[in-house]
Amino acid sequence: NAGVTQTPKFQVLKTGQSMTLQCAQDMNHEYMSWYRQDPGMGLRLIHYSVGAGITDQGEVPNGYNVSRSTTEDFPLRLLSAAPSQTSVYFCASSSLSGNTIYFGEGSWLTVV
Amino acid sequence: EDQVTQSPEALRLQEGESSSLNCSYTVSGLRGLFWYRQDPGKGPEFLFTLYSAGEEKEKERLKATLTKKESFLHITAPKPEDSATYLCAVSGGAQKLVFGQGTRLTINP
């Protein structure tokens, strides 16, 4: 049982480059979301999805795009990376009941 | 706007010395209050979800309690392996979590 799987674990980008952070879950969860964690800021919600084909913005959505074509996958796209997007990114998933929200192991992104 | 404040920011205890971590919150319609443990370089690990004032949950040396304004994570006779950052978060719906900044707990042997 893999749970929530994120790739890559580490990535260095140059300013202006684009990339996609991958997130997959094998628990058939309806809800998936992306958070970023910065020192002194706590985790903040970027985008979330309540099911395939449905996405919405969280607290800090600017500079990020998402789509949800399948229940299992919820990729996060950076279209033109900026140094301010240097952070640790976490993907999370839960069932409709939301009793337990599971997190992945994180993706460390550095934009130079 | 939903807000979560955790205190203290850091806490250092001796092995066996019990204590409590605080999580104060404001939310328009609490759907759940979550406690997580996070080790360095790892993702948050789920501990508890509380839903209504008066509710309590326990797991090994940890007990979480909830009132209408705050939650406490009580740690009884901690061991060095309990050292971690403990995160509190509230959900106002759709599993959208608002996190506090965490309490960094260190247990000295």
Side-chain angles (χ1 to χ4, degrees):
Chain A
N1 186 1
V4 180
T5 303
Q6 293 183 232
T7 57
K9 180 81 170 180
F10 300 99
Q11 183 73 48
V12 179
L13 283 179
K14 293 183 178 180
T15 297
Q17 285 186 319
S18 63
M19 78 157 300
T20 299
L21 299 178
Q22 302 290 346
C23 176
Q25 52 90 10
D26 61 0
M27 299 171 280
N28 201 32
H29 283 166
E30 293 83 1
Y31 289 110
M32 296 186 74
S33 50
W34 278 101
Y35 294 81
R36 60 178 288 173
Q37 187 174 35
D38 302 292
M41 299 292 293
L43 284 96
R44 291 179 293 168
L45 181 64
I46 304 171
H47 285 285
Y48 66 99
S49 169
V50 299
I54 306 169
T55 64
D56 206 345
Q57 297 180 351
E59 179 185 355
V60 288
N62 292 341
Y64 307 95
N65 276 357
V66 292
S67 60
R68 184 97 178 269
S69 57
T70 68
T71 299
E72 296 78 19
D73 301 297
F74 190 45
L76 179 71
R77 298 182 184 87
L78 285 71
L79 299 179
S80 178
S84 61
Q85 294 178 304
T86 294
S87 187
V88 185
Y89 292 86
F90 290 99
C91 179
S93 77
S94 71
S95 63
L96 279 175
S97 69
N99 290 333
T100 305
I101 300 175
Y102 298 93
F103 282 81
E105 288 295 284
S107 295
W108 272 252
L109 176 66
T110 301
V111 183
V112 298
Chain B
E1 181 180 329
D2 301 345
Q3 286 189 327
V4 176
T5 302
Q6 291 187 247
S7 62
E9 287 187 15
L11 181 62
R12 190 179 293 270
L13 301 172
Q14 291 298 120
E15 185 174 0
E17 181 184 1
S18 301
S19 188
S20 298
L21 311 182
N22 178 263
C23 171
S24 298
Y25 67 91
T26 56
V27 62
S28 53
L30 181 68
R31 298 291 185 91
L33 185 140
F34 296 77
W35 281 99
Y36 287 87
R37 168 190 172 127
Q38 187 175 27
D39 293 301
K42 300 289 187 180
E45 176 189 345
F46 173 80
L47 294 174
F48 305 108
T49 308
L50 303 170
Y51 293 101
S52 57
E55 188 175 1
E56 298 184 353
K57 288 190 177 177
E58 288 188 63
K59 179 181 179 180
E60 296 180 357
R61 295 177 290 282
L62 300 177
K63 183 169 82 171
T65 62
L66 181 65
T67 73
K68 289 185 177 180
K69 294 183 178 180
E70 56 192 353
S71 177
F72 292 93
L73 185 65
H74 306 278
I75 302 176
T76 302
K79 298 180 178 181
E81 53 262 41
D82 294 322
S83 297
T85 296
Y86 290 85
L87 305 174
C88 173
V90 295
S91 171
Q95 281 68 46
K96 297 185 293 180
L97 296 178
V98 175
F99 281 86
Q101 294 185 6
T103 293
R104 189 172 63 256
L105 178 65
T106 304
I107 309 299
N108 295 319

